[in-house]
Every structure is written in structure tokens, then in C-alpha cells.
Amino acid sequence: MNRLVQVVLFTAVARISSILKVQGVVDAIRKQLDDRLAIDRRAMDVFRWALGCLLVLEFGGRMMVAEGLLSDQGVFPFEIWQTFPHATWPWFSSILALSSSTLWVHVCLSCGMVCSLMLIFGKQLRWVSWALLILLHSLQARNPWTNYAADKLLFLLLFWACFVFAVQPDENSRATRWMGFPAWGLRLQLCVLYLFSVARKSGSTWVEGTAVRYALEIDQYSQPLGKWLLEGPMIWLQMLTWITLLVEWFGPLMLLARSVRIRWMGVASLAFLQLGFLLTMDLGWFPWVCLLGLLPHVPLSHRKEEIQPLEMNVHAWGMSTRVAGWMVLWMLLWNLAMNFTYPDTLKSRLPSVLSRGIECLRMDQYWGMFSPNPMIHDGWFVIAATLSDGEVVDLLDPTRKEVWAKPLHVPATFPGDRWREFMMMLYDYPDQAHLWPLVAKWFQHRWEQAHPGQSGVTSMRVVYMMEKTLPEGVASPEKEQLWPEAPSSQGSSEPGDV
């Protein structure tokens, strides 16, 4: 009997000892990661100011297109939104669903601007940040076709910031760094974007060094400086292609380095990469949101005597910290899985509740910018209207004299990047014919308001001028009539008279 008791006690002590050793290893790993992924308090303050300013501009910019893109008076009315089969989120998940009027949209956007100003001045951060997250989701869910990668990244940065602000130190606190799972999520998000995006750039154009040339040929995004680069030697574009790959591979890894100098090199290299995007391509908010995501990585307090870790509920395994930890794990595992499948494929195998949840939280991440190759088919839209006097004008860009000629700057033909994204998404929609009349009538109304007393519109048609980028040069554009549907529109197109 005594022998049995000794065996049991020995086994229990050994088990507890092994558990303590494992816990010690886990604690040591967490301490190392905390040290690497901590966020400087001053850098977080700058991030908060920049995030607030960007959100003010976002809500303000959406207010400029609210009537056309976010209300029943525009091109995406409520009855279409409710029955839309490819909506990313359920229509009722948006506060904007409470009313379909433009006034209600303006009220919600105004509330977003007020909360953004409170974020800038640091007022009531714990609840203001979550209120902003709800308002931003409601805005993005109202018309999913106006969103692009920058919107998902902006939402995710705000999402992780909500957890960081939940453990905000007091003003009199000497803490200089945030440490813990919320800080991990905010630091890792941009690294995940770059690393998993560049991992998918495995196409032949990236290997051969022609990817930048194909990307700059995309008329929807190209800027004058990008067009100028296309006229230079091919070796320039090859060098830019390979430099882009190197920066996207090693830049995020340098952001995670312990060395302050290496981290600054990572911040600088990725900042210059986004500056290059700004100068050569019209990518909307994307470069600015990526620059925003770099701010938590800036190591401002690096002298050891200055570092005071934030000792609040970060390491107490409170609810918000625990949730943030599981979300960080999900983000990493999901992005790893996306190397072998696609979001819709994986979500179709999950319970609907879980699938909807990860969609609403933007955790169905897929970063595939210009991967595996940049697209080779692009072009521009023409909303050709015949006036009562026989003149033909392009309602999308009435200033153009030659309606069927290629615009000098295609992005400038749209009223803004939201309209560009909406029309490109509509173009890819299989059942698009019944939605183009709303777009045409909207631009007709805009033209008639700007030209009162002139000849009226007697007929309209929506045409896409398709161009294909060839290994050398660009093919002649072809007309593709989108509305009204032509009898021969099934899979055919006619050469454009340009």
C-alpha cells in the first residue's frame, strides 16, 4: 500500500513538474514575443491621430457619393441590396439599413466623423473605437461593390486598435509600451498582408521581371508618371519588379526585428514602396492605409532606461486580451490556409454562423494584389448618349470631344475611386444587364443638371472598351456593349472605331 502511494505521489510530482516546465517555456516565448511586438506609446499616439484623420476623410469622402452609391436615390437601391445574392454581409448587419434615405446616410456618416474627431483628441477611447468599428462596418456593408483592399485593411487596423485602447494606460502612467496580444495583432497585421501577398506572386511575369510593366499598363490605375516609366528601357521595369519582391519579402521581416536600426530600415523600405505606388498608380486609399499600418512599428522609445512596459490587464488574461489572442491565432492559421485554397471555398465548409462572423470581422483575409500575375485585360467605360440634335457625348466624361478615343487619364473619367470600383465590380457581375440602366440614368441626371436648357438625351448605351496587354505593346481596343444587351452580345465584341 505504501509502495502504491509513493508511486502515485511520484507520478503526480513528475506531472506537475512537466507542466511547470512547459508553462515556463510558454512564458519565456511570450516574453520574447512581447519584447519584439510591443508598441511604443508615442508611436501609438501618432497612429491614433493618423487613424482618426484618415477616418474623418473616409466618412467625409463617402458623404460626397452618398446619394449616388449609398441611398435609394442612387444606383444601388435598398430593394436590390436586400436580395443581392453576392453580398459579403447580410443587409441587416448595417445601421444604414434602418432607413434608405440620403438624410439618414448623412446622419450616420456625420456620427462617424464626430467619433473620428474624438479618437484624434483621445476622448473616451474605449467606447469611441468600438462605435467607429460599427459605423465603419455599416458603411462598408451598405454597398460592398464600392470596397477594395484598403477598406478591409483599414477595418482590421481599427479592429486591433479597439483591443489596444481597451487596455489604455492612465495619463499619469509611466508606461511607455503596450505589450500583449492586442499589440501583437496590430503589429502582425501589416506583416501578414505583405508576406502572404508576395508569397502568391509566383507567376511568370514576376519571375521574368515584367510584372511592373503589366501593372502600369492597367488603365484603371495608371498615373502619368507610370506611363512615362513605360516609355523607358525595359531594364528599369525589371529592376522595379525585383525590388518590389525583395521589399515585400524582407520589409515585414525587418519590422519584426529586435534591432532598432533594422526596424527603421523596414519602415523606410516599405514607406518608399508605398510612395512609389502613390506616384505611379491610382490605388485609392491603399498606400495611405499601408503607411498608417507602419506607425505602430516605429521604435521611438528604444533606450533601455526609458522602457516601462504597460502593466494593466494585458497579461491578466482578461476577456478582451483572451479574445485578441484567439483572433491573432485565427489570423495566422487562416492566411496559411489561403495558400492552398480560396476564402469562399473554405467558408462554404464552415457553419453559416461562423462563416458570417469571420466575414463581419474581416477575418476572411486574402491578400492577392497583382498575384499570381497582374491582369492583362482592362479598358475604360463609355456611357454614350445621343442628344436630340444628333450629337453624341460621353456622360461619364462629357468634356471629351472624341467619345470613342482613349482618355488621356482613365481614372479621371470617374467621379471618384468609389465609382470606379463599383463599375468594375458591376462589369464582373454575371447578371449585370438589369443594373446598368440605373447607372446610365444617374449620369444622365447629373449631365442634365450641369447643362440646363441644352438638347435632351434621346438614347443611351453603356460600352466597355476592352484592351489586352500583349507581351509587346497593347492590342487595339474592342467595343463590348453592356447595355442595352445586343443580340450578338453573348461572348462577342466588335472592334472599336478609335
Side-chain angles (χ1 to χ4, degrees), residues 288 377 479:
W288 296 105
H377 293 93
K479 280 184 182 179

Side-chain angles (χ1 to χ4, degrees), residues 167-351:
V167 291
Q168 181 193 7
D170 298 329
E171 293 183 359
N172 298 324
S173 172
R174 296 182 58 192
T176 59
R177 297 199 303 175
W178 270 271
M179 302 174 72
F181 293 135
W184 294 16
L186 189 55
R187 287 281 307 276
L188 288 173
Q189 182 60 71
L190 194 67
C191 299
V192 164
L193 180 148
Y194 280 116
L195 289 174
F196 287 97
S197 170
V198 72
R200 297 186 181 97
K201 291 181 170 68
S202 57
S204 59
T205 58
W206 290 101
V207 176
E208 297 167 0
T210 58
V212 167
R213 179 246 164 178
Y214 278 94
L216 293 178
E217 289 282 9
I218 302 175
D219 295 315
Q220 304 288 342
Y221 303 133
S222 185
Q223 294 274 49
L225 181 58
K227 292 296 185 185
W228 177 79
L229 286 173
L230 289 173
E231 299 175 358
M234 187 60 194
I235 188 64
W236 292 4
L237 301 178
Q238 289 179 319
M239 293 299 295
L240 288 175
T241 300
W242 295 324
I243 288 173
T244 299
L245 289 175
L246 287 174
V247 172
E248 291 190 353
W249 269 118
F250 293 102
L253 297 178
M254 289 190 287
L255 294 181
L256 302 177
R258 181 176 296 175
S259 168
V260 172
R261 183 175 298 176
I262 294 177
R263 280 175 62 183
W264 272 113
M265 290 172 60
V267 170
S269 62
L270 292 171
F272 277 111
L273 177 68
Q274 295 302 326
L275 180 61
F277 290 159
L278 276 171
L279 294 175
T280 58
M281 304 186 75
D282 186 350
L283 300 177
W285 287 109
F286 184 76
W288 296 105
V289 180
C290 288
L291 290 172
L292 171 70
L294 286 174
L295 294 177
H297 296 273
V298 176
L300 294 179
S301 295
H302 58 274
R303 290 182 299 177
K304 292 184 177 180
E305 61 271 16
E306 291 183 357
I307 296 176
Q308 293 291 332
L310 174 59
E311 297 179 356
M312 295 185 66
N313 291 328
V314 177
H315 297 297
W317 292 86
M319 179 59 71
S320 63
T321 303
R322 196 174 306 174
V323 171
W326 284 111
M327 297 306 293
V328 170
L329 181 62
W330 175 274
M331 174 180 68
L332 297 176
L333 293 177
W334 178 273
N335 279 279
L336 282 171
M338 288 304 101
N339 286 320
F340 309 100
T341 184
Y342 291 95
D344 290 341
T345 303
L346 184 55
K347 285 186 292 186
S348 65
R349 301 171 183 171
L350 300 175

Side-chain angles (χ1 to χ4, degrees), residues 68-69 75 381 383 385 394-398 413-416 419-420 422-423 436-451 457 460 462:
L69 294 174
V75 298
F381 291 95
I383 303 179
D394 180 9
L395 298 182
L396 192 61
D397 185 10
T413 61
F414 298 95
W419 277 100
R420 176 183 63 189
F422 176 80
M423 294 179 68
W436 281 115
L438 296 173
V439 176
K441 290 177 181 178
W442 169 261
F443 282 99
Q444 177 189 355
H445 176 67
R446 190 182 74 150
W447 187 86
E448 290 174 346
Q449 282 187 324
H451 303 83
V457 176
M460 293 183 292
V462 180

Side-chain angles (χ1 to χ4, degrees), residues 52-188:
C53 291
L54 203 58
L55 287 170
V56 168
L57 295 174
E58 168 67 358
F59 286 112
R62 295 284 192 131
M63 195 173 292
M64 303 296 292
V65 297
E67 185 177 359
L69 294 174
L70 301 173
S71 72
D72 268 11
Q73 290 73 42
V75 298
F76 204 67
F78 191 70
E79 59 268 17
I80 293 179
W81 181 37
Q82 282 183 292
T83 59
F84 198 56
H86 298 286
T88 308
W89 310 282
W91 64 268
F92 51 80
S93 68
S94 172
I95 293 177
L96 275 66
L98 296 176
S99 175
S100 59
S101 69
T102 306
L103 177 61
W104 174 245
V105 176
H106 284 167
V107 169
C108 293
L109 295 178
S110 299
C111 290
M113 295 181 70
V114 171
C115 290
S116 301
L117 291 173
M118 294 179 68
L119 183 69
I120 294 173
F121 293 105
K123 303 298 182 181
Q124 303 295 327
L125 292 181
R126 288 180 175 87
W127 70 264
V128 164
S129 57
W130 288 106
L132 272 171
L133 196 71
I134 294 171
L135 289 168
L136 187 60
H137 166 77
S138 298
L139 172 61
Q140 294 179 2
R142 174 57 180 89
N143 189 344
W145 276 356
T146 62
N147 305 323
Y148 46 93
D151 297 288
K152 175 169 282 191
L153 180 58
L154 180 62
F155 182 94
L156 288 167
L157 293 176
L158 178 58
F159 173 77
W160 295 116
C162 288
F163 289 102
V164 176
F165 295 144
V167 291
Q168 181 193 7
D170 298 329
E171 293 183 359
N172 298 324
S173 172
R174 296 182 58 192
T176 59
R177 297 199 303 175
W178 270 271
M179 302 174 72
F181 293 135
W184 294 16
L186 189 55
R187 287 281 307 276
L188 288 173

